[in-house]
Structure formats: structure tokens, C-alpha cells
Amino acid sequence: MSFPCFYETWFNQLRRLVDELAHGPTPRANTTSDDDHHNLGQLVEKLMAHYAEYYRVKSTAVKHDVLAVFSSPWSTSLERSLHWIGGWRPTTAFHLLYTQSSILFESQIADILRGVRTGDLADLSPDQFRCVSDLQCDTVGHENAISDGLAEWQA
């Protein structure tokens, strides 16, 4: 199951759990029974386990396709705005690419110099890096345009 499909199912379950919690007994001084406290405790435990499952599946999904998880196409426009404000922008993917390819290149330099192909980011050719760099420059331009537009709204 893809992460977006998982997320849709997970989010629907979250809504049900939050609804249960919202409509459950509200503890007030001396007005709720021990059973009410126990039931609320169980519901909170279910909610915590639900979030733990989300992060477990998300952690696994990131190992398969980090950009799909972090770009979060299932997010609302508000959530995407908060990602932007929080610093997750498309150019972050380029930073990850450059960092990972540098780490791989350094760790495999001896094999690369002998002509051994590694089949990973360390094998990117100069032309491929130039294409990535050109795409990054275009992306930065679009990001700057968006940031400038947001700045105008704040003025």
C-alpha cells in the first residue's frame, strides 16, 4: 500500500478516534466514575498507538521514497503552507541529493577511480549534475517568486 493510501485510511481512523474522544465522558471533580476514567484512558492509549503506527509506517515509507513522503501530495493547502513556512521547499530535495551523492562519492572514491560502477548517486556524470544544477536554479527562481508574493501579502 502506498503511503498516500495509508494516510487516507489512517486519517479517517484518526477522525473517528478524535470524535470518540470528543463525545466521551468529560472528567469533572467527583462526577465521573472509575469506569469513565478507565474508558478515557483506553481511548487515549488507542490514539497514542494510532500515532505510533503513523510514524512507524512513515519511517518505512521514507526509506522507499523520501520525496513522496515529504512532498505530501495528500496535504491540504494550509498544511503545505506550514511546510513552506517551516522550511520544506522543493530545493530541499536538491540539498538532500547533493549531500547523499557527496557522502557516497567520498566513501567509494577508490572504487570510482578504478572504474567500478556503484549504481547509485556516486555514479552521476558531470552532465547529469549540470542538469540537476540547472533544474535547481529554475526551482530557486520559482521559490523566490513565491516568497516575493507572500512578502507582498504581509506588507
Side-chain angles (χ1 to χ4, degrees), residues 72-84:
S72 59
W74 58 86
S75 296
T76 65
S77 57
L78 173 63
E79 290 169 324
R80 285 189 298 275
S81 298
L82 293 173
H83 288 160
W84 185 272

Side-chain angles (χ1 to χ4, degrees), residues 3 54 58 61-63 65-74 83:
F3 189 77
Y54 168 77
K58 186 175 183 178
V62 162
K63 294 173 186 168
D65 189 356
V66 69
L67 294 180
V69 174
F70 282 114
S71 65
S72 59
W74 58 86
H83 288 160

Side-chain angles (χ1 to χ4, degrees), residues 19-150:
D19 190 52
E20 274 184 64
L21 189 60
H23 293 94
T26 53
R28 293 186 186 103
N30 301 324
T31 61
T32 54
S33 69
D34 288 339
D35 284 342
D36 289 339
H37 282 283
H38 178 72
N39 290 340
L40 280 173
Q42 284 185 321
L43 189 54
V44 169
E45 288 296 321
K46 280 173 45 176
L47 197 57
M48 296 301 291
H50 191 63
Y51 269 99
E53 175 70 359
Y54 168 77
Y55 285 107
R56 186 192 65 73
V57 171
K58 186 175 183 178
S59 175
T60 301
V62 162
K63 294 173 186 168
H64 297 292
D65 189 356
V66 69
L67 294 180
V69 174
F70 282 114
S71 65
S72 59
W74 58 86
S75 296
T76 65
S77 57
L78 173 63
E79 290 169 324
R80 285 189 298 275
S81 298
L82 293 173
H83 288 160
W84 185 272
I85 292 166
W88 176 255
R89 292 177 173 76
T91 51
T92 307
F94 294 102
H95 298 196
L96 292 172
L97 173 77
Y98 291 140
T99 300
Q100 185 65 20
S101 62
S102 176
I103 290 168
L104 290 170
F105 182 81
E106 288 176 10
S107 69
Q108 299 168 5
I109 189 77
D111 289 338
I112 292 168
L113 291 174
R114 285 187 302 228
V116 176
R117 306 286 296 169
T118 58
D120 55 29
L121 291 173
D123 281 342
L124 289 178
S125 71
D127 285 339
Q128 289 171 318
F129 268 116
R130 192 173 8 271
C131 289
V132 170
S133 179
D134 291 345
L135 182 58
Q136 180 187 16
C137 289
D138 290 345
T139 304
V140 168
H142 290 294
E143 285 181 359
N144 288 343
I146 291 169
S147 292
D148 291 345
L150 291 174

